[in-house]
Coordinates of all heavy atoms in Angstrom, one line a residue:
T1 N -273.7 -101.2 99.3 CA -275.0 -100.5 98.9 C -274.7 -99.0 98.8 O -274.2 -98.4 99.7 CB -276.1 -100.8 99.9 OG1 -276.3 -102.2 100.1 CG2 -277.4 -100.1 99.5
S2 N -275.1 -98.5 97.7 CA -275.0 -97.0 97.5 C -276.0 -96.3 98.3 O -277.2 -96.8 98.4 CB -275.1 -96.6 96.1 OG -274.0 -97.1 95.4
V3 N -275.7 -95.2 98.8 CA -276.7 -94.3 99.6 C -276.6 -92.9 99.2 O -275.5 -92.4 99.0 CB -276.5 -94.4 101.1 CG1 -277.4 -93.5 101.9 CG2 -276.5 -95.9 101.5
I4 N -277.7 -92.2 99.0 CA -277.7 -90.8 98.7 C -278.2 -90.2 100.0 O -279.3 -90.5 100.5 CB -278.7 -90.4 97.6 CG1 -278.5 -91.3 96.3 CG2 -278.6 -88.9 97.3 CD1 -277.0 -91.1 95.7
C5 N -277.5 -89.3 100.6 CA -277.9 -88.5 101.8 C -278.3 -87.1 101.5 O -277.7 -86.4 100.9 CB -276.7 -88.6 102.8 SG -276.3 -90.2 103.5
K6 N -279.5 -86.8 102.1 CA -280.0 -85.5 101.9 C -280.0 -84.8 103.3 O -280.5 -85.3 104.2 CB -281.4 -85.5 101.3 CG -282.0 -84.2 101.2 CD -283.5 -84.3 100.9 CE -284.1 -83.0 101.0 NZ -284.2 -82.5 102.3
T7 N -279.4 -83.6 103.3 CA -279.5 -82.8 104.5 C -280.0 -81.5 104.2 O -280.2 -81.1 103.1 CB -278.1 -82.8 105.3 OG1 -277.2 -82.1 104.3 CG2 -277.6 -84.1 105.7
E8 N -280.2 -80.7 105.2 CA -280.7 -79.3 105.0 C -279.8 -78.3 105.7 O -278.9 -78.7 106.5 CB -282.1 -79.1 105.7 CG -283.1 -79.9 104.9 CD -284.5 -79.5 105.1 OE1 -284.7 -78.4 105.7 OE2 -285.4 -80.2 104.7
K9 N -279.9 -77.1 105.3 CA -279.0 -76.0 105.9 C -279.0 -76.0 107.3 O -278.0 -75.9 108.0 CB -279.4 -74.7 105.3 CG -278.5 -73.6 105.8 CD -278.2 -72.6 104.7 CE -277.3 -71.5 105.1 NZ -275.9 -71.8 105.1
L10 N -280.2 -76.0 107.9 CA -280.4 -75.9 109.4 C -279.8 -77.2 110.0 O -280.2 -78.3 109.9 CB -281.8 -75.8 109.8 CG -282.1 -75.6 111.3 CD1 -281.4 -74.4 111.8 CD2 -283.6 -75.7 111.5
G11 N -278.6 -77.0 110.7 CA -278.0 -78.2 111.3 C -277.3 -79.1 110.4 O -277.2 -80.3 110.7
V12 N -276.8 -78.6 109.3 CA -276.1 -79.6 108.3 C -275.0 -80.3 108.9 O -274.9 -81.5 108.7 CB -275.6 -78.7 107.0 CG1 -274.7 -79.6 106.2 CG2 -276.8 -78.2 106.3
E13 N -274.1 -79.6 109.7 CA -273.0 -80.3 110.3 C -273.5 -81.4 111.2 O -272.9 -82.5 111.2 CB -272.1 -79.3 111.0 CG -271.4 -78.3 110.1 CD -270.7 -79.0 108.9 OE1 -269.9 -80.0 109.2 OE2 -270.7 -78.5 107.8
A14 N -274.4 -81.1 112.1 CA -274.9 -82.1 113.0 C -275.6 -83.3 112.3 O -275.4 -84.5 112.6 CB -275.9 -81.5 114.0
Q15 N -276.3 -83.0 111.2 CA -277.0 -84.0 110.5 C -276.0 -84.9 109.7 O -276.1 -86.1 109.6 CB -278.0 -83.4 109.5 CG -279.2 -82.8 110.2 CD -280.2 -82.3 109.2 OE1 -280.5 -82.9 108.2 NE2 -280.6 -81.1 109.4
R16 N -275.0 -84.2 109.2 CA -274.0 -85.0 108.4 C -273.2 -85.9 109.4 O -272.9 -87.0 109.1 CB -273.0 -84.1 107.7 CG -272.1 -84.9 106.8 CD -271.2 -84.0 106.0 NE -271.9 -83.4 104.9 CZ -271.7 -83.5 103.6 NH1 -270.7 -84.3 103.2 NH2 -272.4 -83.0 102.7
A17 N -272.9 -85.4 110.6 CA -272.2 -86.2 111.6 C -273.0 -87.4 112.0 O -272.4 -88.5 112.0 CB -271.8 -85.3 112.8
V18 N -274.3 -87.3 112.2 CA -275.1 -88.4 112.5 C -275.2 -89.4 111.4 O -275.1 -90.6 111.5 CB -276.6 -87.9 112.9 CG1 -277.5 -89.1 113.0 CG2 -276.5 -87.1 114.3
S19 N -275.3 -88.8 110.2 CA -275.4 -89.7 109.0 C -274.1 -90.4 108.8 O -274.1 -91.7 108.4 CB -275.8 -88.9 107.7 OG -277.1 -88.3 107.9
T20 N -273.0 -89.7 109.0 CA -271.7 -90.5 108.8 C -271.5 -91.5 109.8 O -271.0 -92.6 109.5 CB -270.6 -89.3 108.9 OG1 -270.8 -88.4 107.8 CG2 -269.2 -90.0 108.8
S21 N -271.9 -91.3 111.1 CA -271.7 -92.3 112.1 C -272.6 -93.5 111.8 O -272.2 -94.6 111.9 CB -272.1 -91.7 113.5 OG -272.1 -92.7 114.4
W22 N -273.8 -93.3 111.3 CA -274.8 -94.3 111.0 C -274.2 -95.1 109.8 O -274.1 -96.3 109.8 CB -276.1 -93.7 110.5 CG -277.1 -94.6 110.0 CD1 -278.0 -95.4 110.7 CD2 -277.3 -95.0 108.6 NE1 -278.8 -96.1 109.9 CE2 -278.4 -95.9 108.6 CE3 -276.7 -94.6 107.4 CZ2 -278.8 -96.5 107.4 CZ3 -277.2 -95.2 106.3 CH2 -278.2 -96.1 106.2
R23 N -273.6 -94.4 108.8 CA -273.0 -95.0 107.6 C -271.8 -95.9 108.0 O -271.7 -97.0 107.6 CB -272.6 -94.0 106.6 CG -271.8 -94.5 105.5 CD -271.2 -93.4 104.7 NE -270.1 -92.7 105.3 CZ -268.9 -93.1 105.5 NH1 -268.5 -94.3 105.1 NH2 -267.9 -92.4 106.1
V24 N -271.0 -95.4 108.8 CA -269.8 -96.2 109.2 C -270.2 -97.4 110.0 O -269.6 -98.5 109.8 CB -268.8 -95.2 110.1 CG1 -267.7 -96.0 110.7 CG2 -268.2 -94.1 109.2
R25 N -271.1 -97.3 111.0 CA -271.5 -98.4 111.8 C -272.1 -99.6 110.9 O -271.9 -100.7 111.2 CB -272.6 -98.1 112.8 CG -272.1 -97.3 113.9 CD -273.1 -97.1 115.1 NE -274.5 -96.7 114.6 CZ -274.9 -95.5 114.5 NH1 -274.0 -94.5 114.8 NH2 -276.1 -95.2 114.1
R26 N -272.7 -99.2 109.8 CA -273.4 -100.2 108.9 C -272.5 -100.5 107.7 O -273.0 -101.3 106.8 CB -274.8 -99.6 108.5 CG -275.7 -99.8 109.7 CD -276.9 -98.9 109.5 NE -277.8 -99.0 110.6 CZ -277.6 -98.4 111.8 NH1 -276.6 -97.7 112.0 NH2 -278.5 -98.6 112.8
R27 N -271.3 -99.9 107.5 CA -270.5 -100.1 106.4 C -271.2 -99.8 105.1 O -271.1 -100.6 104.1 CB -269.9 -101.5 106.5 CG -269.0 -101.8 107.7 CD -268.4 -103.1 107.6 NE -267.5 -103.2 108.8 CZ -267.5 -104.3 109.6 NH1 -268.3 -105.3 109.4 NH2 -266.6 -104.3 110.6
I28 N -271.8 -98.7 105.0 CA -272.5 -98.2 103.8 C -271.6 -97.3 103.0 O -271.0 -96.4 103.6 CB -273.9 -97.6 104.3 CG1 -274.7 -98.4 105.2 CG2 -274.6 -97.0 103.1 CD1 -275.1 -99.7 104.5
T29 N -271.7 -97.4 101.7 CA -271.0 -96.4 100.8 C -272.0 -95.3 100.5 O -273.1 -95.6 100.0 CB -270.5 -97.2 99.6 OG1 -269.6 -98.2 100.0 CG2 -269.8 -96.2 98.6
V30 N -271.5 -94.1 100.6 CA -272.4 -93.0 100.2 C -272.0 -92.6 98.7 O -270.9 -92.3 98.5 CB -272.2 -91.8 101.1 CG1 -272.9 -90.5 100.6 CG2 -272.6 -92.1 102.5
A31 N -273.0 -92.6 97.9 CA -272.7 -92.3 96.5 C -272.7 -90.8 96.2 O -272.0 -90.3 95.4 CB -273.8 -92.9 95.6
A32 N -273.4 -90.0 97.0 CA -273.5 -88.6 96.9 C -274.1 -87.9 98.1 O -275.1 -88.6 98.8 CB -274.3 -88.2 95.7
W33 N -273.7 -86.7 98.4 CA -274.4 -85.9 99.5 C -275.1 -84.7 98.8 O -274.5 -84.1 98.0 CB -273.3 -85.3 100.4 CG -272.6 -86.4 101.3 CD1 -271.5 -87.1 101.0 CD2 -273.0 -86.7 102.6 NE1 -271.2 -87.9 102.0 CE2 -272.1 -87.7 103.0 CE3 -274.1 -86.4 103.4 CZ2 -272.2 -88.3 104.3 CZ3 -274.2 -87.0 104.7 CH2 -273.2 -87.9 105.1
V34 N -276.3 -84.5 99.2 CA -277.1 -83.4 98.7 C -277.6 -82.6 99.8 O -278.2 -83.1 100.7 CB -278.3 -83.9 97.8 CG1 -279.1 -82.8 97.3 CG2 -277.8 -84.8 96.6
T35 N -277.3 -81.3 99.7 CA -277.8 -80.3 100.8 C -278.8 -79.3 100.1 O -278.5 -78.9 99.1 CB -276.6 -79.6 101.3 OG1 -275.6 -80.4 101.9 CG2 -277.0 -78.6 102.5
E36 N -279.9 -79.1 100.8 CA -280.9 -78.3 100.3 C -281.3 -77.3 101.3 O -281.4 -77.5 102.5 CB -282.1 -79.1 100.0 CG -283.2 -78.3 99.4 CD -284.3 -79.1 98.8 OE1 -284.9 -79.9 99.7 OE2 -284.7 -79.0 97.7
E37 N -281.5 -76.0 100.9 CA -281.9 -74.9 101.8 C -283.4 -74.6 101.5 O -283.7 -74.1 100.4 CB -281.1 -73.7 101.5 CG -279.6 -73.8 101.8 CD -278.8 -72.6 101.5 OE1 -279.3 -71.5 101.7 OE2 -277.7 -72.8 101.0
I38 N -284.2 -74.9 102.4 CA -285.7 -74.6 102.3 C -286.2 -74.1 103.6 O -285.6 -74.5 104.7 CB -286.5 -75.7 101.8 CG1 -286.5 -76.9 102.7 CG2 -286.2 -76.1 100.3 CD1 -287.6 -77.9 102.4
T39 N -287.2 -73.3 103.7 CA -287.7 -72.8 105.0 C -289.2 -73.1 105.1 O -289.7 -72.9 106.2 CB -287.5 -71.3 105.1 OG1 -288.1 -70.7 104.0 CG2 -286.0 -71.0 105.2
D40 N -289.8 -73.6 104.1 CA -291.2 -73.9 104.3 C -291.6 -75.1 103.4 O -290.8 -75.8 102.9 CB -292.1 -72.7 103.9 CG -291.9 -72.2 102.4 OD1 -291.3 -73.0 101.7 OD2 -292.3 -71.1 102.2
G41 N -292.9 -75.3 103.3 CA -293.4 -76.4 102.5 C -293.5 -76.3 101.0 O -294.5 -76.3 100.4
A42 N -292.3 -76.1 100.4 CA -292.3 -75.9 99.0 C -292.7 -77.0 98.2 O -292.6 -78.2 98.6 CB -290.8 -75.5 98.5
E43 N -293.3 -76.7 97.0 CA -293.8 -77.7 96.1 C -292.6 -78.5 95.5 O -291.5 -77.9 95.4 CB -294.7 -77.1 95.0 CG -295.9 -76.4 95.5 CD -296.9 -77.4 96.2 OE1 -297.1 -78.6 95.7 OE2 -297.5 -77.1 97.2
L44 N -292.8 -79.7 95.0 CA -291.7 -80.5 94.4 C -291.0 -79.8 93.4 O -289.7 -79.8 93.3 CB -292.3 -81.8 93.9 CG -291.2 -82.8 93.5 CD1 -290.3 -83.2 94.6 CD2 -291.9 -84.1 93.0
E45 N -291.6 -79.0 92.4 CA -290.9 -78.4 91.4 C -290.0 -77.2 91.9 O -289.1 -76.7 91.2 CB -291.8 -77.9 90.3 CG -292.9 -76.8 90.8 CD -294.2 -77.5 91.3 OE1 -294.3 -78.7 91.4 OE2 -295.1 -76.7 91.6
D46 N -290.3 -76.8 93.1 CA -289.5 -75.7 93.8 C -288.4 -76.3 94.7 O -287.8 -75.6 95.5 CB -290.3 -74.8 94.6 CG -291.4 -74.1 93.7 OD1 -291.0 -73.7 92.5 OD2 -292.5 -73.8 94.1
R47 N -288.2 -77.6 94.5 CA -287.2 -78.3 95.4 C -286.1 -78.9 94.5 O -286.0 -80.2 94.4 CB -287.9 -79.4 96.2 CG -289.0 -78.9 97.1 CD -288.5 -78.3 98.4 NE -287.5 -79.2 99.1 CZ -287.9 -80.2 99.9 NH1 -289.1 -80.5 100.1 NH2 -286.9 -81.0 100.5
P48 N -285.3 -78.1 93.8 CA -284.3 -78.7 92.9 C -283.4 -79.6 93.5 O -283.0 -80.6 92.8 CB -283.6 -77.4 92.3 CG -283.8 -76.4 93.3 CD -285.2 -76.7 93.9
R49 N -282.9 -79.4 94.7 CA -282.0 -80.4 95.4 C -282.6 -81.7 95.7 O -282.0 -82.7 95.6 CB -281.4 -79.7 96.6 CG -280.6 -78.4 96.2 CD -279.4 -78.6 95.3 NE -278.4 -79.2 96.2 CZ -277.2 -79.7 95.7 NH1 -276.9 -79.6 94.5 NH2 -276.4 -80.2 96.6
L50 N -283.9 -81.7 96.1 CA -284.6 -82.9 96.3 C -284.8 -83.7 95.0 O -284.5 -84.9 94.9 CB -286.0 -82.7 97.0 CG -286.8 -84.0 97.2 CD1 -286.2 -84.9 98.0 CD2 -288.2 -83.5 97.8
L51 N -285.1 -83.0 94.0 CA -285.2 -83.6 92.7 C -283.9 -84.2 92.3 O -283.8 -85.3 91.7 CB -285.8 -82.6 91.7 CG -287.2 -82.2 91.8 CD1 -287.5 -81.0 90.9 CD2 -288.1 -83.3 91.6
E52 N -282.8 -83.4 92.6 CA -281.5 -83.9 92.2 C -281.1 -85.2 93.0 O -280.6 -86.2 92.5 CB -280.4 -82.9 92.5 CG -279.0 -83.4 92.3 CD -278.0 -82.3 92.7 OE1 -278.3 -81.2 93.2 OE2 -276.8 -82.7 92.6
A53 N -281.5 -85.2 94.3 CA -281.3 -86.4 95.1 C -282.0 -87.6 94.6 O -281.4 -88.7 94.5 CB -281.6 -86.1 96.6
V54 N -283.2 -87.5 94.2 CA -284.0 -88.6 93.7 C -283.4 -89.0 92.4 O -283.2 -90.2 92.1 CB -285.5 -88.2 93.6 CG1 -286.2 -89.2 92.8 CG2 -286.2 -87.9 94.9
A55 N -283.0 -88.1 91.5 CA -282.3 -88.5 90.3 C -281.0 -89.2 90.5 O -280.6 -90.1 89.8 CB -282.1 -87.2 89.4
L56 N -280.2 -88.7 91.5 CA -279.0 -89.5 91.8 C -279.3 -90.9 92.3 O -278.4 -91.8 92.1 CB -278.2 -88.7 92.9 CG -277.5 -87.4 92.4 CD1 -277.1 -86.5 93.5 CD2 -276.4 -87.8 91.5
V57 N -280.3 -91.1 93.0 CA -280.7 -92.4 93.5 C -280.8 -93.3 92.2 O -280.3 -94.4 92.2 CB -282.1 -92.4 94.3 CG1 -282.6 -93.9 94.4 CG2 -281.8 -91.8 95.6
G58 N -281.5 -92.8 91.2 CA -281.6 -93.6 90.0 C -280.3 -93.7 89.2 O -280.0 -94.8 88.8
A59 N -279.6 -92.7 89.1 CA -278.3 -92.7 88.4 C -277.3 -93.7 89.0 O -276.5 -94.4 88.3 CB -277.7 -91.3 88.3
H60 N -277.3 -93.8 90.4 CA -276.3 -94.7 91.1 C -277.0 -96.0 91.4 O -276.3 -96.8 92.1 CB -275.9 -94.0 92.4 CG -275.0 -92.8 92.2 ND1 -273.6 -93.0 91.9 CD2 -275.2 -91.5 92.2 CE1 -273.1 -91.8 91.7 NE2 -274.0 -90.9 91.9
R61 N -278.2 -96.1 91.0 CA -279.0 -97.4 91.4 C -278.9 -97.7 92.8 O -278.7 -98.8 93.3 CB -278.5 -98.5 90.5 CG -278.7 -98.4 89.0 CD -278.3 -99.5 88.3 NE -278.6 -99.2 86.8 CZ -278.2 -100.1 85.9 NH1 -277.6 -101.1 86.1 NH2 -278.5 -99.7 84.6
A62 N -279.0 -96.6 93.6 CA -278.9 -96.7 95.1 C -280.2 -97.4 95.6 O -281.3 -97.2 95.0 CB -278.8 -95.3 95.7
A63 N -280.0 -98.1 96.7 CA -281.1 -98.7 97.4 C -281.9 -97.7 98.3 O -283.1 -98.0 98.5 CB -280.6 -99.8 98.2
W64 N -281.2 -96.7 98.7 CA -281.8 -95.8 99.7 C -281.5 -94.4 99.4 O -280.5 -94.0 98.9 CB -281.2 -96.1 101.1 CG -281.3 -97.5 101.6 CD1 -282.4 -98.3 101.5 CD2 -280.3 -98.2 102.3 NE1 -282.1 -99.5 102.0 CE2 -280.9 -99.5 102.5 CE3 -279.0 -97.9 102.7 CZ2 -280.2 -100.5 103.3 CZ3 -278.3 -98.9 103.4 CH2 -278.9 -100.1 103.7
L65 N -282.5 -93.6 99.8 CA -282.2 -92.1 100.0 C -282.3 -91.9 101.5 O -283.2 -92.2 102.2 CB -283.4 -91.3 99.4 CG -283.3 -89.8 99.7 CD1 -282.1 -89.2 99.0 CD2 -284.6 -89.1 99.2
V66 N -281.1 -91.5 102.1 CA -280.9 -91.5 103.6 C -281.2 -90.0 104.0 O -280.6 -89.1 103.5 CB -279.6 -92.0 104.0 CG1 -279.4 -91.8 105.5 CG2 -279.3 -93.3 103.5
V67 N -282.0 -89.9 105.0 CA -282.3 -88.6 105.6 C -282.1 -88.7 107.1 O -282.2 -89.8 107.7 CB -283.7 -88.0 105.3 CG1 -283.9 -87.9 103.7 CG2 -284.8 -89.0 105.8
H68 N -281.8 -87.6 107.7 CA -281.6 -87.6 109.1 C -282.9 -87.6 109.9 O -283.1 -88.3 110.8 CB -280.8 -86.3 109.6 CG -280.6 -86.2 111.0 ND1 -280.0 -87.2 111.8 CD2 -281.1 -85.2 111.9 CE1 -280.0 -86.8 113.1 NE2 -280.7 -85.6 113.1
R69 N -283.9 -86.8 109.4 CA -285.2 -86.7 110.1 C -286.2 -86.7 108.9 O -286.1 -85.9 108.0 CB -285.3 -85.5 111.0 CG -284.5 -85.6 112.1 CD -284.6 -84.4 113.1 NE -285.7 -83.5 112.9 CZ -285.8 -82.3 113.3 NH1 -284.8 -81.8 114.0 NH2 -286.8 -81.6 113.1
L70 N -287.3 -87.4 109.1 CA -288.3 -87.5 108.1 C -289.0 -86.2 107.9 O -289.4 -85.8 106.8 CB -289.4 -88.6 108.4 CG -290.1 -89.2 107.3 CD1 -289.2 -89.6 106.1 CD2 -291.0 -90.3 107.8
D71 N -289.1 -85.3 109.0 CA -289.8 -84.1 108.8 C -289.0 -83.1 108.0 O -289.5 -82.1 107.6 CB -290.2 -83.5 110.2 CG -288.9 -83.1 111.0 OD1 -287.9 -83.8 110.8 OD2 -289.1 -82.2 111.8
R72 N -287.7 -83.5 107.7 CA -286.9 -82.6 106.9 C -286.9 -83.1 105.4 O -286.3 -82.4 104.6 CB -285.4 -82.7 107.4 CG -285.2 -82.2 108.8 CD -285.5 -80.7 108.8 NE -285.2 -80.2 110.2 CZ -285.7 -79.0 110.6 NH1 -286.4 -78.3 109.8 NH2 -285.5 -78.6 111.8
F73 N -287.5 -84.1 105.1 CA -287.5 -84.7 103.8 C -288.4 -83.9 102.8 O -287.9 -83.4 101.8 CB -287.9 -86.2 103.8 CG -288.2 -86.8 102.5 CD1 -287.2 -86.9 101.6 CD2 -289.5 -87.2 102.1 CE1 -287.4 -87.5 100.3 CE2 -289.7 -87.7 100.9 CZ -288.7 -87.8 100.0
A74 N -289.7 -83.8 103.0 CA -290.5 -83.3 102.0 C -291.2 -81.9 102.4 O -291.4 -81.1 101.5 CB -291.7 -84.3 101.7
R75 N -291.5 -81.7 103.7 CA -292.1 -80.5 104.1 C -293.5 -80.3 103.8 O -294.1 -79.4 104.3 CB -291.3 -79.3 103.7 CG -289.8 -79.2 104.2 CD -289.9 -79.1 105.8 NE -288.6 -78.9 106.3 CZ -288.2 -77.9 106.9 NH1 -289.0 -76.9 107.1 NH2 -287.0 -77.8 107.4
N76 N -294.1 -81.0 102.8 CA -295.5 -81.0 102.6 C -296.0 -82.4 102.0 O -295.2 -83.1 101.4 CB -296.0 -79.8 101.8 CG -295.8 -79.9 100.3 OD1 -295.9 -81.0 99.7 ND2 -295.4 -78.8 99.6
R77 N -297.2 -82.6 102.2 CA -297.7 -84.0 101.8 C -297.6 -84.3 100.3 O -297.2 -85.4 100.0 CB -299.2 -84.1 102.2 CG -299.8 -85.5 101.9 CD -301.1 -85.7 102.7 NE -301.8 -86.8 102.2 CZ -301.4 -88.0 102.3 NH1 -300.2 -88.4 102.7 NH2 -302.2 -89.0 101.8
D78 N -298.0 -83.4 99.5 CA -297.9 -83.6 98.0 C -296.5 -83.9 97.6 O -296.2 -84.8 96.8 CB -298.4 -82.4 97.2 CG -299.9 -82.2 97.4 OD1 -300.6 -83.2 97.8 OD2 -300.4 -81.1 97.2
T79 N -295.5 -83.1 98.1 CA -294.1 -83.3 97.7 C -293.7 -84.7 98.2 O -293.0 -85.5 97.5 CB -293.2 -82.2 98.3 OG1 -293.6 -81.0 97.7 CG2 -291.7 -82.5 98.1
D80 N -294.0 -85.1 99.4 CA -293.7 -86.3 100.0 C -294.2 -87.5 99.1 O -293.5 -88.4 98.8 CB -294.3 -86.4 101.4 CG -293.9 -87.7 102.1 OD1 -292.8 -87.7 102.8 OD2 -294.6 -88.7 102.1
V81 N -295.5 -87.4 98.8 CA -296.1 -88.5 98.0 C -295.4 -88.7 96.6 O -295.1 -89.7 96.2 CB -297.6 -88.3 97.8 CG1 -298.2 -89.2 96.8 CG2 -298.3 -88.4 99.2
L82 N -295.2 -87.5 96.0 CA -294.6 -87.6 94.6 C -293.1 -88.1 94.7 O -292.7 -88.9 93.9 CB -294.6 -86.2 94.0 CG -296.0 -85.7 93.6 CD1 -296.0 -84.3 93.1 CD2 -296.6 -86.6 92.5
A83 N -292.4 -87.6 95.7 CA -291.0 -88.1 95.8 C -290.9 -89.5 96.2 O -290.1 -90.3 95.6 CB -290.2 -87.3 96.9
R84 N -291.7 -90.0 97.1 CA -291.8 -91.4 97.5 C -292.2 -92.3 96.3 O -291.7 -93.4 96.2 CB -292.7 -91.6 98.7 CG -292.1 -91.1 100.0 CD -293.1 -91.3 101.1 NE -292.7 -90.7 102.3 CZ -292.2 -91.4 103.3 NH1 -291.9 -92.7 103.2 NH2 -291.8 -90.8 104.4
R85 N -293.2 -91.8 95.6 CA -293.6 -92.6 94.4 C -292.5 -92.8 93.4 O -292.3 -93.9 92.8 CB -294.8 -91.9 93.7 CG -295.5 -92.7 92.7 CD -296.7 -92.0 92.2 NE -297.7 -91.9 93.2 CZ -298.7 -91.0 93.3 NH1 -298.8 -90.1 92.3 NH2 -299.5 -91.0 94.3
E86 N -291.7 -91.7 93.1 CA -290.5 -91.9 92.2 C -289.5 -92.8 92.8 O -288.9 -93.6 92.1 CB -290.0 -90.5 91.9 CG -288.8 -90.5 90.9 CD -289.1 -91.1 89.6 OE1 -290.3 -91.3 89.2 OE2 -288.2 -91.4 88.8
L87 N -289.2 -92.6 94.1 CA -288.2 -93.6 94.7 C -288.7 -95.0 94.6 O -287.9 -95.9 94.3 CB -288.0 -93.2 96.2 CG -287.2 -91.9 96.4 CD1 -287.3 -91.5 97.9 CD2 -285.8 -92.0 95.9
D88 N -290.0 -95.2 94.9 CA -290.5 -96.6 94.7 C -290.4 -97.1 93.3 O -290.0 -98.3 93.1 CB -292.0 -96.5 95.1 CG -292.7 -97.9 95.2 OD1 -292.0 -98.8 95.8 OD2 -293.7 -98.2 94.6
R89 N -290.6 -96.2 92.3 CA -290.4 -96.6 90.9 C -289.0 -97.0 90.6 O -288.7 -97.9 89.8 CB -290.9 -95.5 90.0 CG -290.9 -95.9 88.5 CD -291.1 -94.7 87.6 NE -290.0 -93.8 87.6 CZ -288.8 -94.0 86.9 NH1 -288.7 -95.1 86.2 NH2 -287.9 -93.2 86.9
L90 N -288.1 -96.4 91.3 CA -286.6 -96.7 91.1 C -286.2 -97.9 92.0 O -285.1 -98.3 91.9 CB -285.8 -95.5 91.5 CG -286.0 -94.2 90.7 CD1 -285.3 -93.0 91.3 CD2 -285.4 -94.5 89.3
G91 N -287.1 -98.4 92.8 CA -286.7 -99.5 93.6 C -286.0 -99.1 94.8 O -285.2 -99.9 95.4
A92 N -286.1 -97.9 95.3 CA -285.4 -97.3 96.4 C -286.4 -97.0 97.5 O -287.6 -96.8 97.3 CB -284.6 -96.2 96.1
T93 N -285.9 -96.9 98.7 CA -286.7 -96.4 99.9 C -286.0 -95.4 100.6 O -284.8 -95.2 100.5 CB -287.0 -97.6 100.8 OG1 -285.8 -98.1 101.3 CG2 -287.8 -98.7 100.2
I94 N -286.8 -94.6 101.5 CA -286.2 -93.7 102.4 C -285.7 -94.4 103.7 O -286.5 -95.2 104.2 CB -287.2 -92.6 102.7 CG1 -287.6 -91.8 101.5 CG2 -286.7 -91.6 103.8 CD1 -288.8 -90.9 101.7
V95 N -284.6 -94.0 104.1 CA -284.0 -94.6 105.4 C -283.6 -93.5 106.3 O -283.0 -92.5 105.8 CB -282.8 -95.5 105.1 CG1 -282.1 -96.0 106.4 CG2 -283.1 -96.7 104.2
L96 N -284.0 -93.6 107.6 CA -283.5 -92.6 108.6 C -282.3 -93.0 109.1 O -282.0 -94.1 109.6 CB -284.6 -92.5 109.6 CG -286.0 -92.1 109.2 CD1 -286.9 -92.1 110.4 CD2 -286.0 -90.8 108.5
A97 N -281.3 -92.0 109.1 CA -280.0 -92.2 109.7 C -280.0 -91.6 111.1 O -280.2 -90.4 111.3 CB -278.9 -91.5 108.9
Y98 N -279.9 -92.4 112.1 CA -279.9 -91.9 113.5 C -278.9 -92.7 114.4 O -278.4 -93.7 113.9 CB -281.2 -91.9 114.2 CG -282.0 -93.2 114.1 CD1 -281.8 -94.2 115.0 CD2 -282.8 -93.5 113.0 CE1 -282.5 -95.4 115.0 CE2 -283.5 -94.7 112.9 CZ -283.3 -95.6 113.8 OH -284.0 -96.8 113.8

């Protein structure tokens, strides 16, 4: 199963280590890693790396968008709803790597 992992600047190394450990334990293949730097609740159009991650889910026909923590995924409700709606349309879901 392909997986797209999204992490953020704050604690990227720690998040990647946790995600890698999770991936190895489950024998999951990562199709792409996407790192995004945000500090507040930016709107979806101001989240190019999140948009890229969702697009990569579609391009790789990935089953999951893997994130370390859900509070690092969208940062505001509208962005969360829109991104999840697009992932749902692609047949993918968000998975927490811990």
Side-chain angles (χ1 to χ4, degrees):
T1 302
S2 295
V3 178
I4 309 298
C5 289
K6 179 194 170 290
T7 59
E8 294 199 9
K9 180 139 179 90
L10 181 62
V12 169
E13 295 304 320
Q15 290 182 48
R16 188 174 289 238
V18 169
S19 297
T20 298
S21 176
W22 176 87
R23 172 191 69 77
V24 169
R25 286 192 314 271
R26 286 163 182 77
R27 297 185 175 130
I28 303 296
T29 300
V30 174
W33 290 89
V34 177
T35 301
E36 182 173 56
E37 298 178 38
I38 60 166
T39 58
D40 59 14
E43 298 297 321
L44 188 58
E45 61 271 8
D46 296 325
R47 302 280 309 276
R49 301 294 287 174
L50 175 57
L51 291 170
E52 177 187 358
V54 172
L56 285 166
V57 167
H60 290 281
R61 297 183 180 174
W64 306 319
L65 173 66
V66 179
V67 297
H68 175 62
R69 291 180 15 200
L70 204 50
D71 67 330
R72 300 291 183 199
F73 169 65
R75 298 294 187 116
N76 79 40
R77 182 164 165 65
D78 292 339
T79 298
D80 184 89
V81 169
L82 291 170
R84 286 176 187 261
R85 190 173 294 154
E86 181 61 12
L87 289 169
D88 188 50
R89 187 188 72 74
L90 294 168
T93 58
I94 297 171
V95 175
L96 300 178
Y98 51 90

